[in-house]
Amino acid sequence: MSILNEDIFTNYKVETITVSRSVSVPTRLDPLAELMHDHVEVDYKARYARSTVAFMDFSKGDRRWIDHLIEELTKIGDVYREDKIIMLGWSTAKPRNGKQQTWQKFVDELYADKTLTRQDYSEAQLKHLPVLIRELSKGKRLAGCHELGLREVTSRGML
């Protein structure tokens, strides 16, 4: 009796499927509509101002887009119950006192401290914004929305 040793992977073909993700830059019209339509990446340049905390320098249009997004996020829980539940949930961002805060308080403080007074955003503050967008994609108003990306640009010519 003869037994043939065959390699079971000899005729095995691997089919790869490449999924390309289209990414757009903000067009500065309507942040929530843009997030519903496509992934949005906002470029920034890190700036260290006499501290170890990096501040984010945006182009004028991108800064305006971020400001509009934060302003709209302060009101997003007013219409739908599902979004209100998310906004009243605990955020990953912690204020200076180290205690937990809700997402609503997080965006309200960003709006009051940074948007209205035109102060610089820090990386530590805005790194939580994509997490909030991901959470709100499970709600009602932004159900199924795409992701927000904050990308650091290292070359000088970009901004």
Side-chain angles (χ1 to χ4, degrees), residues 109-127:
E109 288 181 0
L110 271 180
Y111 182 69
D113 292 343
K114 305 301 180 186
T115 305
L116 291 179
T117 60
R118 302 293 294 162
Q119 299 289 326
D120 292 331
Y121 294 108
S122 71
E123 280 183 339
Q125 291 168 326
L126 282 193
K127 73 177 181 181

Side-chain angles (χ1 to χ4, degrees), residues 2 9 17 30-32 39 45 48 55 63 73 101-102 122 124 143 145 151 157:
S2 162
F9 300 109
I17 299 173
D30 184 8
L32 297 182
H39 296 281
K45 187 174 180 184
Y48 295 90
F55 289 94
R63 169 64 192 237
L73 289 176
Q101 64 181 349
T102 62
S122 71
C145 78
R151 182 177 57 194

